[in-house]
Amino acid sequence: MLYLDHAATTPVRREVLEAMWPYLTGTYGNASSHHEAGRRALAGLDAARATVAEVLGCRPAEVVFTSGGTESDNLAVKGIALGRRDRDPGRTHVVTSAIEHSAVLGSARDLARWDGFELTELGVSSEGLADPAELAGAVRADTAVVSVMHANNETGAVQAIAELAAVARARQVPFHTDAVQAAGSLELDVHALDVAALSVAGHKIGAPKGTGALYLRRGTPLRPLLSGGGHERGRRSGTSDVAGAVGLAVALRLAAEERPAKAARLCAVRDRLIAGILAAVPSAVLTGPDPRRHPAARLPGHASFCFPGVNGESVLVDLEARGLLVSSGSACAAGGTEPSHVLTAMGYPPEVATTAVRFTLGADLAPEQVDAVVAATRDVVERLSPAPG
């Protein structure tokens, strides 16, 4: 089997497992315990926090360990909005984009449904890109938080986060970005991005599922979502997953070190795959930014298409039968019957959006393997296409 679904999850790296093992066996103490075993665990947790902070370019105290991207997004969107309203009761407005991951959209919609907030969802271009000018028109005097993702998991579209964040900063509104899909492929320096909060998840970069972190700029208001022992400086209660934090830190450090060379390789195989499929399958429609015109606006290793007239799920099944594992979009929405909210927000009709297929590649993919993927996709689409006339 050839795994082409790295946007959904990645295998755990050996270096990560080796770093975690001592904290799963000999150094298994509770980091909150005031004895030798606890102090050793706390030292591992502190070292992991320092490593994550170094990669993100922030202070260790600004790193909050979580259970993954979903929790980080919920804590950022709900926690900042509620914290800002606690500080200033007039702040009852949230801004996000229509193409966010469900963790962000769900959080924002929950605030509107249950907590009395008003929600504005920004539209995007046909390539899935948000417009800073539209954001400037959406931010109001009562806006509590803005959240726009760094890179889209379904289309690979990379947002101009620094420009968008500058709009919010000028209005003194905290800006959060979901960088779960961007980690490992893009620079995550929080000062260059100018964000108040940023989410990452370990399983996208070679750490185990259930690991994640939220960068939270010092002074950003936050109402904790979990009650308990006041862990993570009172921002996220729960016994610290020391091994998970260590694994996340190692994976994030390795991803940052390898990023320049890995991104170059991924861009090369991505471009070969896109050119090959568009040439071999005349009906194929590339979704998201075209790297031939905007190379920096699409994630390395990400290629997504619609095949009008062909059922996307049938393409997946047939490709798997040929040894190729791909997806129809977000793994979190797999099995649903509704068209992708991302593609419909970009203007695709529902009947076209349901034909989506996403290829997310590994850096070790060889050129001849790319050509085999192209040939298999051509054959599958031709077989599934309705007969002319």
Side-chain angles (χ1 to χ4, degrees):
M1 287 288 183
L2 185 59
Y3 185 73
L4 303 173
D5 198 18
H6 287 79
T9 198
T10 58
V12 178
R13 298 184 58 150
R14 182 180 183 88
E15 302 96 323
V16 170
L17 287 172
E18 291 177 346
M20 293 176 65
W21 184 248
Y23 297 95
L24 294 169
T25 54
T27 310
Y28 51 78
N30 187 321
S32 298
S33 295
H34 297 289
H35 49 54
E36 176 59 22
R39 287 192 292 272
R40 288 167 60 196
L42 180 60
L45 186 66
D46 287 344
R49 199 183 307 277
T51 297
V52 173
E54 183 178 2
V55 173
L56 300 183
C58 66
R59 301 176 179 89
E62 295 174 316
V63 174
V64 182
F65 286 116
T66 70
S67 64
T70 293
E71 185 188 344
S72 293
D73 286 343
N74 274 258
L75 180 57
V77 176
K78 294 177 181 175
I80 293 174
L82 293 168
R84 192 74 192 275
R85 191 179 65 178
D86 289 344
R87 185 177 296 181
D88 180 355
R91 297 281 184 169
T92 57
H93 178 233
V94 175
V95 180
T96 187
S97 85
I99 62 166
E100 297 298 308
H101 187 277
S102 56
V104 168
L105 276 178
S107 294
R109 291 170 181 174
D110 281 351
L111 287 168
R113 184 181 300 114
W114 305 114
D115 295 292
F117 283 81
E118 185 179 347
L119 173 61
T120 297
E121 295 181 16
L122 301 174
V124 293
S125 70
S126 60
E127 292 188 313
L129 300 174
D131 184 354
E134 184 178 350
L135 176 59
V139 175
R140 311 184 319 209
D142 63 343
T143 303
V145 65
V146 174
S147 181
V148 179
M149 69 194 326
H150 197 355
N152 188 267
N153 49 314
E154 294 190 35
T155 67
V158 177
Q159 304 294 342
I161 292 300
E163 294 180 40
L164 294 164
V167 173
R169 168 85 94 157
R171 311 288 181 85
Q172 297 183 321
V173 175
F175 186 99
H176 163 255
T177 190
D178 173 354
V180 167
Q181 208 60 239
S185 295
L186 304 176
E187 175 63 56
L188 295 185
D189 186 292
V190 295
H191 294 290
L193 294 173
D194 198 22
V195 295
L198 178 146
S199 303
V200 293
H203 76 104
K204 306 292 188 179
I205 53 172
K209 300 168 185 66
T211 61
L214 174 69
Y215 156 71
L216 188 70
R217 180 189 290 155
R218 184 174 63 178
T220 303
L222 184 83
R223 184 197 290 184
L225 303 185
L226 299 177
S227 299
H231 306 77
E232 296 294 307
R233 294 175 178 260
R235 298 166 297 190
R236 195 269 186 187
S237 289
T239 303
S240 300
D241 178 5
V242 178
V246 169
L248 172 67
V250 171
L252 199 59
R253 175 179 58 79
L254 291 172
E257 292 171 354
E258 298 167 359
R259 181 178 56 82
K262 181 180 177 182
R265 292 195 301 273
L266 284 171
C267 284
V269 293
R270 174 201 68 190
D271 293 350
R272 188 182 185 105
L273 179 63
I274 289 174
I277 288 181
L278 292 179
V281 186
S283 63
V285 177
L286 179 70
T287 61
D290 190 331
R292 295 168 295 185
R293 297 195 303 270
H294 310 293
R298 189 180 193 105
L299 281 174
H302 194 298
S304 54
F305 305 88
C306 284
F307 299 104
V310 177
N311 182 276
E313 290 294 329
S314 296
V315 175
L316 304 190
V317 171
D318 277 24
L319 287 177
E320 183 172 359
R322 293 167 180 254
L324 305 177
L325 302 180
V326 299
S327 71
S328 58
S330 173
C332 299
T337 58
E338 294 298 315
S340 159
H341 72 281
V342 173
L343 295 180
T344 53
M346 292 164 60
Y348 289 90
E351 65 272 16
V352 174
T354 55
T355 72
V357 177
R358 179 184 71 180
F359 303 81
T360 47
L361 318 175
D364 57 350
L365 191 66
E368 59 270 20
Q369 290 176 304
V370 174
D371 297 341
V373 173
V374 170
T377 303
R378 177 200 62 211
D379 294 347
V380 166
V381 173
E382 286 180 355
R383 189 185 74 80
L384 295 173
S385 295

